């Protein structure tokens, strides 16, 4: 079989060279495209996997929708495209489609033996980017990469139009957009985005700590004020100057407001775009209905509960936020803030990093764990304790994740703590989130997309809470400290302000927060895509890996290392293929996604990750990478050793969470951080 | 590689195709085989039969219930049909289609009758494929004609 791109074999080591500066698309592309294929039929799954591998893609197969979702949540930036069957026993394919669209914003292709017009139309209305009739032929799969490119282009364009997110913090180089031209990036073709993000992150980070730049930490309160001001003025008339006046916050500059507004607008735009797609879904989370999110309502409910429970503060703030954001007068001080609302809040409000408040504080006040889901996990308490100890905001984040432990679903947070839970994906058994650390803050953001895309997911995913907003550390947003676990920060704003990384999809503002927090603490918030950045700092990354930093530690490698000890698993997951090989990513494709599963399994021992690939991956993985990472991972107990939440672990967990999105509630804030429901615009 | 074996293998395949037991999809699967997965087709078919037994069981159960839930029955059969299609089991697929038509018409008897045919075709193909793979192995090639792979 000849690979679609004509390459006879997957060249593992070519990655670093693959992307050249200025290249629009890396030579290897679409090889290495990271595909997640979901189908309950094992025969079809195996055939598809083989076909995709023959196309030189990196394949992860999954036979359950729930598992797929958690995989996606845990690895916000881990996949480029999803292919899913329509008829599945545990979850309707269209529902999965909606979730993915909202939470991760990845292109999704539906497949079915059913070619009835009605079904195909349903695919269209639910936002599928394509529909394939079974039996699927390999020719049809050879061109699926177009959907990824297209989406990215659109995202970039969108971001670009809004202007740079940060006042010049981020340089969105048009040439870098979307494209895969990331000179510095390692093999992955998303790296360009990530790189940008990373660069930005770096900048941000510096600023945050030193206040050299007028980087504002958009705390929840601050954001709330912002939204209130915007609403008061009317979104059309809301100009930075007036908003600034209304907010009347000393020290806040017009530029700060302007860039925040930009992000907010993007978020809203996204929201409206999404709502068109998923009308019902949007409604669910837009309307601050009590936990009526929609499919995830149950989860949401949990989150909400946990959320509320975890900390009064969060709940209240949430309520306030909600009220503010939504313009609703109800400020439920209590806990049960409708998840939806909260989520939305988070998504958007989360962006307000609580930095100011001290990450730790948040954590302590909030019991992150609970937030997440309410899943009663024994770990939670421990985790929480650990988290607190770690004093890192991340910790809290992590906790949150674990909290849900029980949730098989999206527990994003698997923050390391869930290691025990480990069963990653395949096990739908509650704990599913085993992904631990990775789940936390899945660095999805790393792509720098953080900005726009990220945002919102934070909360959404997990419904559990911490909305790991994928906040990218990008300068402005960042601050969304994860700590807000309570806030489920779904950071609404595309944190990273990094335009476009569509991949980021990670809604997790959370992530950003985490990142940001991490930044604060560690000074580095590696963009999540560590993998991407790996090339730069491979060695460093590795450390990160062990630390569990998935996020493009590379950028911050230096910094991160010290701080983030992200569980390698996180990195591994995706990173292995990508980061590790710094460019060999693609090659890993042979292994399939397995990467993370492999890694995880290694680390956790559970990793029943999907598909054997993972295992294979580990084994066959390009030596370079493996050597580096695995050992680290191994030693580091990759996903955060359960009770061992070192800062780093937490960090990674948080990151993971962010990425993974804690159990993304379906309607979760898919809003890139702006999930503010009903933001009167 | 034993020329005779290979020859016979090809002839058998040709015959299966001509008689409509298998279709183009099966050829596609064979084309997917490569050095990394030399026995891909056989493995896939094995997976299919392992899983299809379970699916058939589901249908059996649905058919046995009274009153018959035709929607559930249709869903079950849809899954089975989809699976069969993926390996190119044409005759099986045809019977499945017929079955589903009866389902739609809520014709219990038609369903029961057709289901028997489905099972029959399913079993018959299994035997043929087993022979085919055996031949392939004997010839030192995989089903897809790859030589010498263990």
């Amino acid at each position: 079989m000849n690979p679609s791109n004509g390459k006879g074999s997957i060249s593992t080591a070519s990655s670093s060279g693959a992307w050249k500066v200025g290249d629009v698309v890396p030579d290897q592309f679409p090889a290495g495209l990271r595909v997640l294929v979901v189908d309950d039929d094992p025969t079809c799954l195996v055939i598809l996997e083989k076909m995709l591998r023959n196309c030189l893609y990196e394949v992860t197969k999954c036979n359950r929708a729930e598992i797929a979702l958690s995989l996606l949540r845990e690895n916000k930036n881990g996949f480029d495209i999803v292919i899913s069957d329509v008829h599945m026993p545990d979850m309707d394919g269209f529902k999965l489609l909606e979730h993915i669209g909202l939470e991760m914003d990845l292109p999704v292709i539906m497949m079915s033996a059913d070619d009835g017009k009605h079904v195909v139309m349903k695919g269209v209305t639910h936002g599928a980017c394509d529909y394939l009739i079974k039996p699927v032929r390999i020719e049809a799969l050879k061109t699926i990469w177009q959907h990824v490119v297209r989406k990215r282009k659109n995202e970039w364009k969108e971001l670009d139009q809004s202007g740079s997110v940060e006042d010049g913090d981020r340089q969105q180089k048009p040439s870098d957009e979307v494209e895969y031209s990331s000179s510095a990036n390692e093999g992955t073709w998303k790296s360009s985005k990530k790189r940008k993000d990373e660069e930005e992150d770096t900048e941000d980070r510096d600023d945050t700590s030193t206040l050299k730049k007028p980087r504002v930490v958009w705390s929840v309160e601050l954001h709330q004020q912002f939204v209130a001001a915007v609403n008061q003025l009317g979104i059309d008339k809301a100009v930075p100057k007036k908003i600034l006046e209304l907010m009347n916050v000393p020290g806040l500059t017009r530029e700060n407001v302007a860039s925040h507004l930009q992000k907010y607008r993007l978020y809203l735009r996204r929201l409206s775009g999404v709502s068109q797609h998923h009308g019902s879904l949007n409604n669910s989370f837009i309307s601050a209905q009590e936990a009526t999110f929609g499919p995830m309502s149950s989860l949401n409910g949990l989150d909400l509960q946990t959320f509320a429970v975890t900390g009064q503060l969060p709940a209240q703030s949430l309520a306030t936020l909600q009220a503010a954001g939504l313009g609703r007068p109800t400020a439920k001080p209590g806990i049960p803030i409708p998840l939806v609302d909260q989520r939305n809040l988070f998504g958007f409000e989360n962006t307000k990093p609580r930095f100011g408040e001290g990450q730790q504080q948040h954590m302590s006040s909030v019991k992150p764990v609970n937030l997440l889901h309410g899943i009663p996990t024994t770990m939670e308490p421990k985790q929480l304790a650990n988290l607190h100890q770690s004093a890192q905001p991340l910790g809290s984040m992590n906790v949150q994740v674990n909290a849900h432990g029980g949730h098989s679903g999206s527990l994003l947070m698997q923050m390391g703590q869930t290691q025990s839970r480990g069963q990653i994906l395949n096990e739908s058994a509650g704990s599913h989130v085993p992904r631990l650390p990775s789940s936390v803050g899945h660095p999805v953001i790393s792509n720098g997309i953080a900005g726009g895309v990220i945002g919102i997911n934070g909360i959404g995913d997990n419904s559990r809470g911490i909305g790991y907003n994928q906040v990218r550390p990008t300068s402005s947003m960042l601050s969304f400290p994860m700590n807000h676990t309570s806030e489920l920060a779904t950071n609404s704003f595309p944190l990273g302000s990094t335009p476009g990384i569509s991949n980021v999809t990670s809604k997790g503002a959370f992530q950003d927060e985490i990142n940001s927090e991490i930044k604060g603490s560690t000074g580095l918030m590696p963009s999540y895509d560590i993998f991407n950045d790996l090339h730069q700092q491979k060695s460093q990354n590795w450390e990160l890996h062990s630390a569990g930093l998935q996020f493009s530690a590379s950028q911050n490698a230096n910094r991160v290392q010290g701080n983030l000890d992200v569980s390698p698993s996180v990195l591994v997951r995706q990173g292995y293929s990508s980061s590790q090989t710094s460019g060999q990513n693609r090659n890993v494709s042979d292994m399939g996604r397995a990467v993370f599963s492999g890694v995880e399994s290694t680390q956790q021992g559970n990793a029943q990750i999907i598909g054997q690939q993972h295992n294979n991956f580990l084994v066959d993985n390009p030596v370079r990478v493996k050597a580096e990472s695995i050992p680290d991972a191994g030693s580091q107990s990759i996903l955060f050793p359960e009770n061992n939440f070192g800062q780093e672990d937490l960090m990674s967990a948080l990151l993971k969470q962010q990425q993974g999105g804690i159990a993304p509630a379906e309607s979760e804030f898919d809003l890139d951080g702006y999930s503010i429901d009903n933001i009167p615009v | 590689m034993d020329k005779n074996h290979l020859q016979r293998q090809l002839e058998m395949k040709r015959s299966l195709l001509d008689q409509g037991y298998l279709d183009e999809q099966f050829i596609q699967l064979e084309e997917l085989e490569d050095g990394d997965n030399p026995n891909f087709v056989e493995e896939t078919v094995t997976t299919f039969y392992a899983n299809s037994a379970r699916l058939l069981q589901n249908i059996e159960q649905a058919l046995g219930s009274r009153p018959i839930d035709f929607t559930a029955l249709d869903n079950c059969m849809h899954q089975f049909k989809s699976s069969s299609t993926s390996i190119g089991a044409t005759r099986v697929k045809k019977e499945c289609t017929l079955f589903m038509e009866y389902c739609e018409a809520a014709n219990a008897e038609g369903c029961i009758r057709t289901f028997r045919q489905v099972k029959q075709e399913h079993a018959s193909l299994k035997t043929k494929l087993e022979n085919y793979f055996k031949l392939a192995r004997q010839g030192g090639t995989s089903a897809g004609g790859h030589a010498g792979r263990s």
Side-chain angles (χ1 to χ4, degrees), chain A residues 458-498:
Chain A
I459 302 200
D461 286 347
N462 291 314
S463 58
R464 299 283 160 212
I466 315 223
Y468 36 103
N469 298 312
Q470 306 213 336
V471 177
R472 289 224 20 204
T474 55
S475 50
S476 53
M477 306 285 285
L478 312 177
S479 307
F480 309 104
M482 337 201 274
N483 44 86
H484 297 308
T485 54
S486 54
E487 303 199 335
L488 286 185
T490 36
N491 311 306
S492 29
F493 278 66
L495 300 183
S497 54
T498 43

Side-chain angles (χ1 to χ4, degrees), chain A residues 1 40-44 46-47 50-51 53-54 87 89 112-114 134-139 590, chain B residues 24-25 28-29 31-34 36-37 40 44 47-48 51 54-55 78-79 82-83 85-87:
Chain A
M1 176 104 173
D40 64 301
D41 184 82
T43 315
C44 293
V46 140
I47 294 173
K50 183 76 179 88
M51 285 180 170
R53 289 248 196 95
N54 279 24
H87 300 278
S112 177
D114 192 348
K134 284 180 167 180
V136 178
R137 293 179 67 98
I138 192 169
E139 289 76 24
D590 235 359
Chain B
E24 179 59 28
Q25 179 63 15
Q28 286 266 308
L29 295 188
E31 285 177 3
L32 282 178
E33 250 177 18
D34 57 17
D36 295 335
N37 296 75
F40 175 70
T44 304
T47 304
F48 166 74
N51 189 53
R54 183 179 58 87
L55 296 176
H78 179 95
Q79 286 194 304
S82 179
S83 202
T85 310
S86 72
I87 64 158

Side-chain angles (χ1 to χ4, degrees), chain B residues 12-27 45 48-49 84-95 117-129 132:
Chain B
M12 190 186 279
K13 180 161 69 174
R14 179 56 21 203
S15 147
L16 288 171
L17 285 164
D18 289 344
Q19 291 175 57
Y21 283 100
L22 295 173
D23 63 19
E24 179 59 28
Q25 179 63 15
F26 188 81
I27 306 298
V45 170
F48 166 74
Y49 274 100
S84 305
T85 310
S86 72
I87 64 158
T90 325
R91 285 202 183 181
V92 177
K93 183 168 78 165
K94 282 209 181 86
E95 297 300 332
Q117 277 164 255
V118 167
K119 283 191 285 186
Q120 203 173 315
E121 288 294 347
H122 178 255
S124 155
L125 178 65
K126 183 174 185 189
T127 309
K128 291 192 190 293
L129 284 174
Y132 177 75

Side-chain angles (χ1 to χ4, degrees), chain A residues 267 283-293 300 304 307 317-323 325-326 328 330 332 336-350 459 487-488 490 667 669 671 674-678:
Chain A
Y267 160 72
N283 293 337
S284 57
F285 59 79
I286 293 191
S287 58
Q289 277 144 33
E290 308 251 358
T292 41
F293 290 85
N300 298 332
L304 198 49
F307 204 162
S317 53
L318 279 177
T320 338
L321 286 174
Q322 281 187 338
L326 305 174
R328 277 193 240 164
T330 31
K332 300 171 204 169
I337 295 184
L339 276 176
V340 177
D341 289 345
Q342 287 191 350
R343 285 220 259 181
N344 292 330
L345 277 179
F346 288 123
F348 162 46
E349 322 243 30
N350 278 319
I459 302 200
E487 303 199 335
L488 286 185
T490 36
S667 49
F669 311 105
L671 323 166
Y674 295 90
S675 49
I676 306 223
D677 47 332
N678 305 331

Side-chain angles (χ1 to χ4, degrees), chain A residues 146-197:
Chain A
Q146 63 174 296
H147 303 293
V148 183
V149 177
R150 194 177 292 119
K151 207 170 184 96
R152 292 228 182 129
K153 270 189 158 23
N154 290 341
E155 295 250 0
W156 276 99
K157 208 184 297 176
E158 186 183 283
L159 282 168
D160 241 11
Q161 285 165 3
S162 330
S164 57
V165 176
E166 284 288 311
D167 307 275
D169 278 349
R170 304 210 171 143
Q171 286 102 41
Q172 306 194 348
K173 304 162 198 133
S175 56
D176 288 338
E177 309 180 327
V178 175
E179 286 32 281
Y180 312 103
S181 56
S182 39
S183 45
N185 289 336
E186 305 249 65
T188 53
W189 43 289
K190 288 192 297 194
S191 46
S192 54
K193 295 206 184 103
K194 297 194 187 113
R195 182 169 58 79
K196 209 183 282 191
D197 286 340

Side-chain angles (χ1 to χ4, degrees), chain A residues 602-617:
Chain A
T602 337
Q603 297 160 0
Q604 309 197 353
N606 297 319
Q608 305 194 11
I609 315 266
I610 310 178
Q612 314 286 335
Q613 301 161 351
H614 305 294
N615 298 320
N616 294 336
F617 184 69

